[in-house]
Amino acid sequence: MSTRGPGVRLLIAIAIGFVMGLALGFALMGAPDAIRTEAATWLKALGDIFVRLIRIVIPPLIFFTISAAVASVADLRRLGSILLFMFVLYLGTSVLAATWGIVAGAVFRPGEGVGLQPPAGYTPPKPPSAVDILLSFFQLDFSALLTVGGAMTMIIFAIILGIAVVLLGEEGRRVYSFLRLASSIMITVVRVIMYYAPVAIFGYAAWLIAVYGPAMLGAYGRFLVAQYSLSFLHFFLVYGIIAALGGLSPLAYFKIQSAPFLVAFATRSSAVTLPTNMEAARRMGVPEEVFQITLPIGATVNMDGTALYQALSALFVAQLFGIALTPAHIGIAVAAVLVGSVATAAIPGGGTIMLAFVLGTLGLPLEGVGIMMVVDPMSDALRTALNVSGDNACTVLLSRVLGFRRS
Ligand code: ASP
């Protein structure tokens, strides 16, 4: 596609919106409660408008970009190697992230010596079983594919449809042209909506600090310090190295990735950040046929930030309740976190809902989910930023290793 994105100017506008939002949020922290609450409600609404617009676009965007990209890789063996290498990279980085979460819990010990209570009126959820999770990847009805929760099934459907188009041979080329055009149109729709992003990011950043700033004190503060330290380490060290291995200087990667990073931080949704992440991949020189497959799938299944968070949360909850974990528990925790992070929906708070599965597998008190909800938005902001950044780092490396031309 030839149209260039709004690029640097939009990135600067988003960064300015973010900083102004943080400043207003800190100012509001000192305001009387009634004013702070009323202002926060309006500020959050500014962000919600953006998220709702993007969420409408997500199902057709995923469908058209993936099916068009799959159909464009006319060689099915090549498609197989993209999918295989993608899963190896996504899995490898998630194992590493889960390990960082364990290290953070063991080193910072954020939950030790505190007795936290779940929010009033909270009842622990029933954790889903592994079979429930597996079957949730295959929704029952086509209408379910149109929701963010049905994204995984939509991906599977789009891949199969793309393969069918390839198998149709000459005749399929006409359908391919249509899919390609529809995919460009959906991306352009997103670009138009993106002009509103700086206002949304401003609103969300201010709301986040005004409402959740005070939670930065005490045990939650220690938890956030542990999570943020290791998440930034993963971002700069692991993704820096992966980008370099992919032939992109780490500095260029960090610079271009800063736009999706901020959008993810403010919107707390990998799905909503998908279009911005695709634009960044394009600017990193990754060909469309690669990132249009790896990024929508990555947004849905590859969540390093969530893996780190869920592993750390398991230790945090165990520490709060004074439960000792054995090395065997730690192994189970890493395995459960891998399943949990794949199954997490790419929406705000998805990782804390799926935390029920991780805690349930380890036999830890499910009240932990309620405890984590108190601090969820602050934690979600950074884990989502890490989630989307990992998709792009892996995409850069994959594109080089499999010999796709960097434009
Ligand atoms: N909000 C995260 C995302 O969309 C998922 C999570 O809650 O951990 O990537």
Side-chain angles (χ1 to χ4, degrees), residues 63 143 228 278 287 356:
F63 173 73
S143 58
Y228 273 51
M278 285 179 156

Side-chain angles (χ1 to χ4, degrees), residues 81-91 293-294 297-298 398:
S81 53
I82 294 179
L83 292 178
L84 187 70
F85 195 63
M86 182 194 75
F87 277 114
V88 169
L89 279 180
Y90 283 173
L91 191 70
I293 296 175
T294 57
I297 298 181
L398 178 148

Side-chain angles (χ1 to χ4, degrees), residues 39 71 113 152 262:
M152 187 74 110
L262 290 182

Side-chain angles (χ1 to χ4, degrees), residues 308-331:
L308 193 156
Y309 158 81
Q310 288 176 340
L312 171 59
S313 298
L315 265 72
F316 182 61
V317 170
Q319 288 163 3
L320 286 177
F321 287 91
I323 300 167
L325 295 178
T326 61
H329 280 119
I330 300 294

Side-chain angles (χ1 to χ4, degrees), residues 114-377:
V114 202
L116 287 183
Q117 294 302 317
Y122 170 79
T123 44
K126 185 176 166 298
S129 71
V131 172
D132 290 341
I133 289 184
L134 176 69
L135 285 179
S136 73
F137 295 162
F138 300 87
Q139 295 284 336
L140 209 52
D141 298 306
F142 190 83
S143 58
L145 272 59
L146 300 177
T147 63
V148 172
M152 187 74 110
T153 319
M154 181 63 108
I155 287 172
I156 295 168
F157 176 62
I159 292 177
I160 296 175
L161 190 120
I163 292 175
V165 170
V166 173
L167 292 178
L168 268 183
E170 238 348 274
E171 238 180 321
R173 300 324 288 166
R174 285 211 302 275
V175 180
Y176 167 61
S177 304
F178 163 73
L179 292 176
R180 203 176 141 76
L181 184 62
S183 153
S184 300
I185 291 172
M186 292 321 300
I187 290 173
T188 311
V189 167
V190 167
R191 281 193 182 146
V192 174
I193 300 173
M194 282 306 290
Y195 283 105
Y196 177 68
V199 179
I201 304 308
F202 163 78
Y204 267 158
W207 161 74
L208 205 60
I209 298 295
V211 177
Y212 292 97
M216 286 190 278
L217 306 168
Y220 286 128
R222 288 204 298 280
F223 178 90
L224 290 173
V225 168
Q227 186 204 341
Y228 273 51
S229 312
L230 273 290
S231 295
F232 275 115
L233 181 77
H234 190 76
F235 178 71
F236 285 113
L237 190 69
V238 178
Y239 298 159
I241 292 175
I242 292 179
L245 290 175
L248 182 69
S249 92
L251 271 185
Y253 166 79
F254 297 137
K255 190 168 154 234
I256 301 173
Q257 191 59 30
S258 59
F261 191 99
L262 290 182
V263 171
F265 194 94
T267 63
R268 296 170 297 123
S269 167
S270 294
V272 170
T273 312
L274 175 60
T276 325
N277 222 20
M278 285 179 156
E279 185 58 38
R282 185 192 307 281
R283 295 182 60 209
M284 289 176 198
V286 178
E288 256 175 40
E289 57 192 320
V290 175
F291 73 70
Q292 290 194 346
I293 296 175
T294 57
L295 293 185
I297 298 181
T300 312
V301 305
N302 183 42
M303 299 197 178
D304 293 359
T306 302
L308 193 156
Y309 158 81
Q310 288 176 340
L312 171 59
S313 298
L315 265 72
F316 182 61
V317 170
Q319 288 163 3
L320 286 177
F321 287 91
I323 300 167
L325 295 178
T326 61
H329 280 119
I330 300 294
I332 297 171
V334 172
V337 159
L338 289 180
V339 177
S341 65
V342 169
T344 293
I347 51 170
T352 298
I353 297 168
M354 213 25 95
L355 182 62
F357 169 74
V358 176
L359 297 181
T361 308
L362 285 166
L364 290 171
L366 291 178
E367 281 78 4
V369 175
I371 291 171
M372 294 317 298
M373 274 178 186
V374 176
V375 79
D376 188 62

